[in-house]
Amino acid sequence: MEILKTQYQSKRFRFKTLINEDLDLFCELYCNDIVMGKIMPKLTRQQAKSLFLGILKKQQQCANEFWRIECIVSGQSIGIQGFMADKSQRKHNDAEFGILLSPEFYGKNIATESVTAMLFYGFRHLGLMSAHAYFNADNIAIQKIAHRLNFKIEADNNQANKMRCSISKDDFLKSNEDTNLVIK
């Protein structure tokens, strides 16, 4: 079965469906101490490759949607982002989201722009009614993004030092101005 390829873009970035050719980028991110530092222990290349193949398989089954983040001007791939949903979440049109950027692109407002574009896409084109993410309580960057986008932030009662941010479609669209999102 072929992966349905979607593409959308914000002002500075193009988001293309993750495909086999993105394995090296995926492994670079998941095997990097800095990138994974506040998420989980970094993976070995074999673990990252196995995770990547699992994500591609779930994309074929329409359970996950992942995109490569590419700079429009340079064409450089700078990270990945995506939605993951288990059966319970899909039933309620909810998905967990995540984003990983190469460290040289930290602090440039890329994550906020990318997550905003992904949420617009998820709410308008995937039928999501809500989205959420889990993060370590000491991950200040994620907290700043969540505050900027008006997420509800709370402690994750199931895990120590973990937080959960969430937002409904209506709250997101009401509190975030429209982007120049282009769907292809």
Side-chain angles (χ1 to χ4, degrees):
M1 185 186 315
E2 181 157 337
I3 296 172
L4 178 62
K5 295 179 183 171
T6 58
Q7 179 176 309
Y8 57 98
Q9 66 187 47
S10 64
K11 292 177 182 175
R12 299 183 294 165
F13 306 102
R14 187 173 298 115
F15 308 91
K16 294 182 174 181
T17 298
L18 209 58
I19 57 174
N20 287 325
E21 289 79 6
D22 296 319
L23 174 63
D24 287 336
L25 172 65
F26 190 91
C27 289
E28 285 173 26
L29 294 167
Y30 275 89
C31 297
N32 185 306
D33 279 323
I34 296 169
V35 174
M36 300 308 292
K38 300 223 184 253
I39 301 169
M40 63 187 220
K42 74 176 184 174
L43 302 180
T44 65
R45 181 158 177 94
Q46 187 56 41
Q47 290 170 322
K49 183 177 179 181
S50 179
L51 179 61
F52 179 78
L53 295 174
I55 285 172
L56 290 186
K57 183 176 181 181
K58 285 186 177 183
Q59 277 190 162
Q60 290 175 336
Q61 300 164 347
C62 298
N64 287 347
E65 291 257 1
F66 276 81
W67 298 274
R68 176 181 73 245
I69 304 168
E70 183 179 274
C71 179
I72 291 173
V73 174
S74 70
Q76 182 179 12
S77 295
I78 62 171
I80 60 172
Q81 65 184 23
F83 288 115
M84 300 132 311
D86 63 27
K87 288 180 183 180
S88 169
Q89 291 168 340
R90 283 194 307 270
K91 181 179 175 184
H92 295 99
N93 295 325
D94 178 49
E96 182 176 352
F97 69 91
I99 181 170
L100 297 177
L101 294 174
S102 296
E104 61 266 29
F105 299 101
Y106 288 2
K108 298 180 176 165
N109 214 24
I110 294 169
T112 301
E113 183 176 335
S114 296
V115 168
T116 300
M118 180 174 53
L119 291 173
F120 271 110
Y121 183 80
F123 291 139
R124 289 191 174 149
H125 299 281
L126 297 179
L128 293 178
M129 296 306 293
S130 60
H132 66 275
Y134 296 96
F135 58 93
N136 285 347
D138 61 349
N139 191 332
I140 304 302
I142 298 299
Q143 289 183 47
K144 286 180 181 179
I145 293 167
H147 281 293
R148 268 187 227 129
L149 298 177
N150 296 310
F151 277 77
K152 177 181 174 187
I153 301 173
E154 59 196 3
D156 178 6
N157 296 328
N158 298 323
Q159 297 181 53
N161 194 40
K162 288 287 186 181
M163 304 293 287
R164 181 180 192 272
C165 63
S166 61
I167 196 161
S168 71
K169 174 183 179 176
D170 290 342
D171 288 344
F172 178 79
L173 294 176
K174 199 181 321 173
S175 64
N176 292 284
E177 64 185 69
D178 205 327
T179 66
N180 294 325
L181 189 64
V182 177
I183 308 298
K184 296 182 181 179

